[in-house]
Amino acid sequence: MFQIIWQHTRRWQRVCLFAAPLVMLMEVFCDLQQPTLMSKIVDTGLAGSGHPQFILQTGGVMLLIALVGACSGSGCNALASYASLKMGQRLRNHLLSLALATRNGHDLSTPTLITRITNDVIQMQNLVMTLTRSLVRAPFLLLGGIVMAFLISPRIAWILAIVVPVLLLFMGLVIRHSVPLFTKMQQAIDRINRVMRETLLGIKTVKSFTLENQQQQLFDQINQQVQTSSVAAQASVIILAPVVTLALNLSIVAALWFGGGLHASHLITTGQIMAFVNYMIQITTAMINTVNTVSSLSRAQTATARIQAVLDLPQDAEPTATVALPTDTTLRFEHVNFAYPGGENVLTDIDFELPAGAKLGIIGTTGSGKTTLVDLLTRLYDPTSGRITIGGVPINQLSLAQLRQQVAVALQNSVLFSGTIASNLRYGKETATDAELVVAAQAAAAADFIAARPGGYQAQVTQRGNNFSGGQKQRLNIARALVAQAAILVLDDTTSAVDLATDAHIQQALRQVRQGKTTIMIAQRIAALQDSDLILVLDHGHIVARGQHATLLQESAFYREVAVAQLGKEVLTDA
Amino acid sequence: MPNVAMKRPPRGQHYTEEQLKVQHLKPTLRQLSGYLLQKRWPLAAVFGFTVVTTVVSIIGTRLNGLIIDRYIRTDRLKLLAMVCLLMVGMYVVASGFNWLQSHFMVNIAQETSTRIRQDVFTRMQRLPLSYFDQHPSGDLMSRLTNDVDNINTALMETFIQLFTGVISVVGMLIAMLVLSPALTLVVLLASTGTYFLSRQIAKFTQTAFRQQQAELGQLNSEIEETLSGKKTIQLFEQADQVLTDFRATNQRYVHHAYQAQVFSGALGPLNNMLNNLAYALITVLGALAILHGYQGITVGIMFAFLIYMRDFTGPIRNMLDLINTLQVSIVSAERVFAVINAPAEQDAPHVVMPTLTGTIALQHVTFGYQPEHPILHDISLTAKPGEMVAIVGPTGAGKTTTINLLTKLYPLTAGTILIDGHPIDQLDRYALRRQIAIVQQEPFLFSGTIQANIRLGRLDASEADIVAAAKAANAHDFIMQLPAGYQTQLSDRQQSLSQGQRQLISIARAFLAQTPILILDEATSAIDTKTEMVIQQAMDQLMQQKTSFVIAHRLSTIQKADQIIVIDQGRIVERGTHAHLLAQKGLYWRLYRSQFQGKDV
């Protein structure tokens, strides 16, 4: 925890980290002076015939101290805010750059990473605030209050020696007892939220299968659990307030009682008794705040652990270019095997050669390893064994920048970024001219709907391209890959969400654009693959058949079945 | 005597104006109090307990002062002991009442919110489908969860604290005025000072906070977008650019957040200062008054005031926060009640329905989500028992709408639909829907086991029935390959099954339902080719001997159909068999070539 904070702060922020608590101590010190000064006014100022001069002077000191306290408190807040926000800023930058730099599969899913960089960093920020402010103020008010009470009169301060430890222990026990009950409540709430969400999202299914009664029964049952567990959880903590109040009140009565006895023996003054009672109230409030602060720390603990896991993500050494970019784009996979760490082989003995300018088609069932094959080519992963070469150069001798300049990929799950259509298309090549964008968009059958948007290429794209349909996103995705004008073009099942007619149109247009480019096309539709120079049929990571369309119709039962299902029996006679 | 409240520190929430806007205050309050009135006796008890604890606290403080004046300063120890004993008794009773008050309140709040939750859910299930079309699921979800929570908080904390607050403020004000009007004025000055200071600072920081929230929203959405598009960013080597942009946003957020926090964070110390100032003033003025014998002020009265002051400004400051929270809760209540009060699906009285043979006739059916904008015009067609009707047409032609009408998911605007000669608007919708099984394009699976999901087709089905249905649906094999077979848990959001597998499970569901009528919506997107063929086979099996309507996207389906209905812009434009329609060379012919054969036309 402290290590993360320390590593993400610099000079002045570190100074603030230490200065803030010190300034806070000043405020605590000021607050603690008031009752003592009050007791002096009562005891000295009112003694005999009275000393108005002394009363006014002491009162002036009290006002001054109140002002100094307020300045210290605000100052501490300013310093602590600065340190915590700056720490948060650095931490966010660091985490995001780490997350973007990791290549290999790790077990942090995207939603988890998002939560960690957003919410958990804010939690860390709050933690720094707590550490430098609340965690200083409350315990020191508590300690200081006890010290002041003893200074006033050790003869009645012994009451504190009993009450404070007993109360702290009691609060600790109650909270410890309540934590599992609150966890149980939260679980019940999660369950009921799930039932509600599912009924809502599946409302058509619910209605069609008349599942209303069954869902209602399920809901009522869990709703009852929510009620029971919430009552149990809250019942476990409502004992705190009455007990703490009672303890405080009884201690005050005790102080008055024993104080009265001591007063009769002239061992204590009225002012001292009054100050003591005031300290008692301060101490009790401080005690409650201390317990609250400490229990809020345990929440920050989880956030810290979650952030540490991101910081510990394995980082790969970036390869530096050792050879020049080959002009030849002949692509070779040589006995390539791949498995995720600790997993079984996802790809086994993939071996093929694709001459420069040729088109490779890949077909296969879900999970057959098609996308992984492309990930190896772009070095999102490295093969477990075997090697991949472009123009005879093994790709791990090229820098990532060189490699990705050579290979443009349109991904299966197309992602757009907020900005404009043009800014998204220029992702492939920042310097692309407007004319180049239009050419690419036309080839991807995107030009028409782009033109139909107000603003055309300057039309806004909202977050993740949510203002475009699935088919439109896929077409922009293809256009983006085309803008890059890389020598090798990879299209990974990029037309699954467009209808057959549009798909046919895209395939037609692509034929023009990919002239001279080495192309890899993964698809489910035979129509998109049939003009390939080489088609691979993948099954469970193995190449089970290879050849051109006509050959595969004859040799691969799988390919034939798929072709007949999609294109009708005529396909056999046409070929 | 001081009353220690174990409440959360003020949350420093900043609400948007939207959140604080109440539109129908009166009816909302009436409905909310309707729920609370069911608990009127426990509530009355809570109020009673509160009055007792507050009064004890006020009297206790006064007694402290009296003890100082009458017994300690005069050393009357016997009487002191007696008064102390009295106070001990009082405090024990008050704490007991304090506990009872919380105990009752917890139960009232939880039982009430359980009821509200139940009412919302029950009504939600009965709402017509058009309601869900108009209200995004995220919004409904937040009404069901956050808004019900807000009501709960309002009942639990706000309500009771406001009540306690009012009683103690009024009670203490009276007690203080009786003791010393002059010192009361000092306390009031400190309280109003606190009030105006908070308002002033709040006004000042509100703009800063709004900017901070806006920047934070921007920051978070950049993080989300970047991480979601990570692979694309890496492949296009854009990480540096993205990080540069992000650093700038991050810097802007920190800048605004700092402004907001410095000012709002100063509020605590400043309030503390006002308290200390009042403390000093009471001491000094009190002491001077004692010296001059003014208004009969004694050391004991001064002492009581020092404690009253802390107990007085606290609730006042709190009540201001609470009014904000209460306002949010009322808006929440309004949102929740809007769901509860929405009109439920119209239904015909229950009639005993014979098992259907499955003759379906649509007669001049016209429909619009808003009756004045029809999207289906004059649709007429007849399907005989066991027939298969394929519906084809371009995207947005009205295919899905047509089949939604068959199960009374939407009310007809004009025309009738007859099933075995019964007009469907005279049929009870549960009875009707039990006769029709649906396979959706994107089937919805509930969390639970695979077995439980198939069972949804017919709730009293045995395990053997389920396995038989899964086998008929070609789902058995892949289910058995899963580690836990039929007991495999499907988790909430993270779907572990592929789209094809989900569709097979929903086909098994339809098999289990054993209905005479079937509605199938074929998937448009090309799912895994092999699975697609398996699905096709299962669907063919399922359609045997049933009257079926299929929204067709596949060649083999239309080739087998008994009749094909071609819909365009909400009208039937062509109908007939595959061969007959091809010969016409009309819209069907064009659709056939492009949609089913993938030829560019």
Side-chain angles (χ1 to χ4, degrees), chain B residues 191-298:
Chain B
S191 307
T192 39
T194 310
Y195 171 75
F196 281 110
L197 194 68
S198 319
R199 287 300 290 264
Q200 229 32 57
I201 291 191
K203 223 184 267 172
F204 205 66
T205 52
Q206 208 166 28
T207 332
F209 260 107
R210 211 175 296 143
Q211 270 172 325
Q212 179 198 322
Q213 285 314 104
E215 293 293 350
L216 185 64
Q218 172 70 26
L219 188 76
N220 284 347
S221 61
E222 261 184 49
I223 292 174
E224 198 186 324
E225 189 173 70
T226 304
L227 290 173
S228 310
K230 176 180 161 186
K231 204 168 161 182
T232 309
I233 291 171
Q234 289 183 337
L235 287 176
F236 288 100
E237 286 284 315
Q238 292 285 326
D240 289 343
Q241 184 59 43
V242 167
L243 282 172
T244 313
D245 291 348
F246 177 75
R247 283 201 181 94
T249 315
N250 200 358
Q251 172 65 43
R252 271 204 311 279
Y253 159 71
V254 166
H255 176 72
H256 288 294
Y258 186 67
Q259 286 184 338
Q261 287 185 16
V262 164
F263 287 111
S264 68
L267 197 58
L270 285 178
N271 277 328
N272 193 31
M273 175 187 80
L274 278 177
N275 262 333
N276 284 334
L277 289 182
Y279 189 92
L281 278 179
I282 289 173
T283 311
V284 172
L285 294 177
L288 290 177
I290 294 166
L291 282 186
H292 294 100
Y294 178 73
Q295 273 193 352
I297 290 177
T298 61

Side-chain angles (χ1 to χ4, degrees), chain A residues 231-496:
Chain A
V231 169
Q234 277 161 359
S236 71
V237 289
I238 56 172
I239 189 73
L240 278 177
V243 167
V244 172
T245 310
L246 184 64
L248 170 62
N249 284 336
L250 292 185
S251 322
I252 291 174
V253 173
L256 292 174
W257 187 334
F258 292 109
L262 292 170
H263 189 268
S265 339
H266 300 289
L267 290 169
I268 201 166
T269 63
T270 318
Q272 284 172 331
I273 296 177
M274 286 163 68
F276 183 80
V277 170
N278 275 296
Y279 281 124
M280 198 94 93
I281 298 173
Q282 270 188 350
I283 287 168
T284 317
T285 320
M287 211 157 26
I288 295 169
N289 290 339
T290 308
V291 171
N292 281 344
T293 312
V294 170
S295 59
S296 79
L297 275 186
S298 63
R299 252 168 287 154
Q301 201 84 51
T302 359
T304 317
R306 288 158 57 89
I307 285 175
Q308 190 61 51
V310 181
L311 291 173
D312 291 343
L313 281 181
Q315 300 297 316
D316 308 283
E318 167 98 3
T320 43
T322 50
V323 286
L325 201 60
T327 46
D328 176 23
T329 57
T330 303
L331 190 64
R332 272 184 65 86
F333 273 59
E334 297 172 15
H335 303 287
V336 169
N337 289 293
F338 175 73
Y340 291 103
E344 287 175 26
N345 259 11
V346 181
L347 288 174
T348 310
D349 197 28
I350 302 296
D351 193 276
F352 66 86
E353 181 179 299
L354 185 67
K359 173 180 172 182
L360 173 73
I362 304 177
I363 190 168
T365 55
T366 310
S368 58
K370 299 173 303 236
T371 300
T372 314
L373 197 150
V374 172
D375 289 347
L376 293 184
L377 175 63
T378 50
R379 295 203 58 213
L380 288 173
Y381 301 101
D382 286 327
T384 330
S385 66
R387 62 176 201 162
I388 304 168
T389 61
I390 295 178
V393 180
I395 57 170
N396 54 7
Q397 289 179 16
L398 298 171
S399 73
L400 287 178
Q402 272 182 319
L403 177 66
R404 288 170 187 168
Q405 203 181 321
Q406 190 81 326
V407 184
V409 185
L411 290 170
Q412 191 174 14
N413 294 322
S414 36
V415 183
L416 296 180
F417 298 88
S418 43
T420 62
I421 292 182
S423 73
N424 267 283
L425 295 184
R426 288 210 170 90
Y427 240 64
K429 184 179 160 202
E430 276 165 50
T431 55
T433 63
D434 289 349
E436 284 174 335
L437 298 189
V438 176
V439 171
Q442 275 166 350
D448 289 347
F449 76 79
I450 295 176
R453 293 246 165 187
Y457 287 80
Q458 295 309 317
Q460 287 298 315
V461 177
T462 60
Q463 199 191 356
R464 288 206 255 167
N466 285 337
N467 54 342
F468 290 85
S469 75
Q472 290 176 334
K473 275 191 270 189
Q474 286 196 328
R475 281 178 269 170
L476 287 174
N477 183 31
I478 297 174
R480 180 169 59 193
L482 292 176
V483 168
Q485 294 187 334
I488 300 176
L489 178 65
V490 181
L491 301 165
D492 181 1
D493 206 359
T494 40
T495 53
S496 60

Side-chain angles (χ1 to χ4, degrees), chain A residues 31 89 93 100 102 193-194 197-198 207 216 223 227 249 263 288 366 375 418 464 500 524 562, chain B residues 1 4 72 75 111 117 127 145 224-225 234 250-251 272 276 345 433 447 492 528-529 595:
Chain A
D31 273 4
Q89 183 182 5
N93 284 339
L100 276 184
T102 48
N193 284 349
R194 198 188 61 213
R197 184 168 54 238
E198 286 189 352
K207 282 180 180 291
Q216 185 77 50
N223 199 11
Q227 185 186 329
N249 284 336
H263 189 268
I288 295 169
T366 310
D375 289 347
S418 43
R464 288 206 255 167
L500 275 170
Q524 299 287 357
V562 174
Chain B
M1 197 47 10
V4 184
I72 295 184
D75 297 330
E111 279 166 30
R117 232 183 345 250
L127 292 172
T145 54
E224 198 186 324
E225 189 173 70
Q234 289 183 337
N250 200 358
Q251 172 65 43
N272 193 31
N276 284 334
E345 225 173 336
R433 286 174 191 165
S447 55
D492 193 6
D528 171 351
T529 333
Q595 275 196 8

Side-chain angles (χ1 to χ4, degrees), chain B residues 438-483:
Chain B
I438 296 189
V439 177
Q440 288 171 23
Q441 195 177 77
E442 280 170 13
F444 188 84
L445 302 187
F446 293 85
S447 55
T449 62
I450 289 189
Q451 191 183 49
N453 264 289
I454 298 179
R455 180 169 278 141
L456 294 179
R458 182 158 48 89
L459 295 174
D460 58 354
S462 71
E463 276 184 35
D465 292 341
I466 289 171
V467 174
K471 278 186 176 157
N474 286 341
H476 181 72
D477 288 347
F478 91 79
I479 295 174
M480 292 311 286
Q481 276 172 13
L482 297 171

Side-chain angles (χ1 to χ4, degrees), chain B residues 395-453:
Chain B
T395 317
K399 293 169 294 191
T400 309
T401 313
T402 310
I403 59 163
N404 280 343
L405 296 179
L406 293 179
T407 48
K408 279 181 81 172
L409 285 173
Y410 297 95
L412 303 182
T413 309
T416 36
I417 297 178
L418 301 168
I419 294 190
D420 278 18
H422 307 282
I424 58 163
D425 48 3
Q426 288 172 24
L427 294 176
D428 161 49
R429 66 168 183 277
Y430 292 111
L432 173 71
R433 286 174 191 165
R434 277 191 204 114
Q435 307 272 356
I436 301 176
I438 296 189
V439 177
Q440 288 171 23
Q441 195 177 77
E442 280 170 13
F444 188 84
L445 302 187
F446 293 85
S447 55
T449 62
I450 289 189
Q451 191 183 49
N453 264 289

